[in-house]
Amino acid sequence: MRQLLTTAVLVLGACTALKPPDFLRKAAESLRAATSGPPPPQIQAFLAGASPQAQREYAALQDAFPVGASEDVQLEYSAFEQVFAGRQASGSSETAWAQQEAFEVRGEVYALEPHAPDQLVAAVRRNGRGGVARLPRAVAVDKARALRDHVLRVRDESPLVGDILGPSDNSIPDAPQTRWDVFMDPADPEVAAVVRELLTGPVGAAFAELCGPDAVLRECSAVVSAPGSPPQPCHSDTKWTEDLVLATCFVALQDIGPELGPTRFLPDTATSKAHALLADALAAPDAAAAVVAYAETVSQLAVLDAGDATLYESRLQHGGTPNFGDRDRVLFYVSFGREPEDAPTSIDPAVAARRLRLGDFR
């Protein structure tokens, strides 16, 4: 194929002063189609959340990407590659189910206890090790229920959705999708009502202390988990860095009991040591067994009432649990902070283009 392409280039090069005849143009198009094809799955996954610079360089380099890319893009790809490798190793539902059982049978599981408004930041920081805070009734129940209806309408009518870990139970052939990340617009009335109450209260104050009063809105979305959705493998939203990347707040849009798939949080895992241990488990020869063994630890389940909020930071390890219930579980969330280097953020590109900041909502 490479020799054919070289020949076509030489033929067309001899006609640079002339418009190429139709048969030459069509031959060149056929050769390009035969030799280009879709990029490999890993490159496709990278491009889905890559920076504009990386996308331009891939378009120019094609098969020579990422080796021939600039230093910045190679660093961006290297960071992505670490996360992608982890997802490949632990992303099977079979492994996630085994890990779920290990958490429940061999680990220590506690309900996430509520915190006072002035304790939120301390609970998230947890003396530099990372934790999760729970604020009861951060949003009025009627506003939460109205937003839940809105999220499900958007999902069903015209979904603009993001990448999500564990979209279906891939241990079952042809299993339907049961988990969605549905982008939300903070200008929509149902969203605005929740965001306004959330960010003008204690959660907004905590965001300001954690991320700064001018922090940029990086995520505005909702996770929907349908009955039958599998567990997610333990993961962090961003790789380990010395400084906080994102702070995220989940809001329960209905009561979330143990049967509806509450989020499992692993306290004290926003550390370089915890990230290294999980990375070692994912890179082990028997990654499935290592990831299951990693689950023999303490975890907290966010069993919530409608309107409750949880607040954590993106380096903290966590995962959704299976939905054994009879209705969709819906969690709205917003994140503020700096742009992650290793993962796409869950936000409508049109909303991201507005460059909204925390101060715009307070």
Side-chain angles (χ1 to χ4, degrees):
M1 282 295 185
R2 187 169 298 174
Q3 182 60 45
L4 286 173
L5 181 60
T6 303
T7 303
V9 170
L10 289 173
V11 171
L12 291 174
C15 303
T16 53
L18 304 172
K19 182 179 179 181
D22 283 346
F23 81 90
L24 287 178
R25 186 172 66 252
K26 290 177 180 177
E29 290 173 353
S30 296
L31 286 168
R32 279 195 296 272
T35 56
S36 59
Q42 182 165 325
I43 297 292
Q44 290 184 49
F46 170 72
L47 293 173
S51 67
Q53 180 184 350
Q55 294 183 16
R56 286 193 299 269
E57 292 189 23
Y58 172 77
L61 294 168
Q62 297 289 314
D63 289 345
F65 186 90
V67 175
S70 66
E71 183 177 351
D72 286 347
V73 170
Q74 287 196 36
L75 287 172
E76 180 182 350
Y77 184 80
S78 176
F80 158 82
E81 200 169 28
Q82 294 178 31
V83 175
F84 184 84
R87 283 195 168 198
Q88 292 296 99
S90 66
S92 77
S93 297
E94 184 175 351
T95 299
W97 279 114
Q99 190 183 60
Q100 164 76 13
E101 181 180 1
F103 273 121
E104 300 295 334
V105 175
R106 290 183 273 178
E108 297 179 41
V109 184
Y110 301 93
L112 179 61
E113 297 295 330
H115 294 87
D118 61 355
Q119 296 176 333
L120 301 182
V121 172
V124 171
R125 288 177 174 160
R126 198 175 167 89
N127 295 320
R129 301 186 307 273
V132 57
R134 173 188 170 191
L135 182 66
R137 291 293 189 266
V139 172
V141 174
D142 59 334
K143 295 176 184 176
R145 289 174 176 164
L147 180 53
R148 183 181 189 276
D149 292 341
H150 175 70
V151 170
L152 295 177
R153 281 196 302 271
V154 173
R155 180 199 62 177
D156 295 340
E157 293 173 3
S158 56
L160 182 57
V161 298
D163 180 32
I164 192 167
L165 193 60
S168 61
D169 191 338
N170 56 27
S171 66
I172 301 173
D174 302 318
Q177 183 169 357
T178 51
R179 185 178 278 114
W180 298 263
D181 187 26
V182 185
F183 294 163
M184 293 282 101
D185 188 335
D188 289 343
E190 298 89 346
V191 184
V194 167
V195 169
R196 187 181 308 112
E197 183 172 3
L198 185 70
L199 298 182
T200 55
V203 170
F207 268 128
E209 187 170 346
L210 289 165
C211 308
D214 292 324
V216 175
L217 177 67
R218 298 296 183 186
E219 296 185 305
C220 185
S221 195
V223 176
V224 180
S225 170
S229 65
Q232 291 178 308
C234 172
H235 65 281
S236 60
D237 293 332
T238 57
K239 66 182 179 67
W240 165 251
T241 56
E242 287 291 341
D243 299 318
L244 181 146
V245 181
L246 297 173
T248 298
C249 179
F250 282 132
V251 179
L253 302 187
Q254 78 278 296
D255 294 345
I256 300 177
E259 78 286 355
L260 279 189
T263 307
R264 184 190 304 280
F265 292 96
L266 276 61
D268 303 324
T269 56
T271 66
S272 59
K273 180 180 178 180
H275 278 239
L277 287 171
L278 183 55
D280 288 346
L282 295 174
D286 187 351
V291 168
V292 168
Y294 185 82
E296 298 174 6
T297 186
V298 174
S299 65
Q300 296 171 301
L301 285 182
V303 175
L304 306 172
D305 295 325
D308 286 4
T310 57
L311 184 66
Y312 70 101
E313 57 116 318
S314 59
R315 296 172 297 179
L316 189 73
Q317 294 171 10
H318 61 283
T321 58
N323 185 344
F324 295 117
D326 58 1
R327 61 193 185 282
D328 292 335
R329 184 218 69 180
V330 187
L331 283 169
F332 170 72
Y333 67 98
V334 290
S335 298
F336 289 89
R338 57 190 174 90
E339 187 171 6
E341 298 174 357
D342 62 318
T345 49
S346 296
I347 191 167
D348 182 336
V351 174
R354 298 176 203 160
R355 299 292 293 179
L356 296 169
R357 295 180 180 273
L358 180 60
D360 296 326
F361 301 99
R362 288 176 56 74

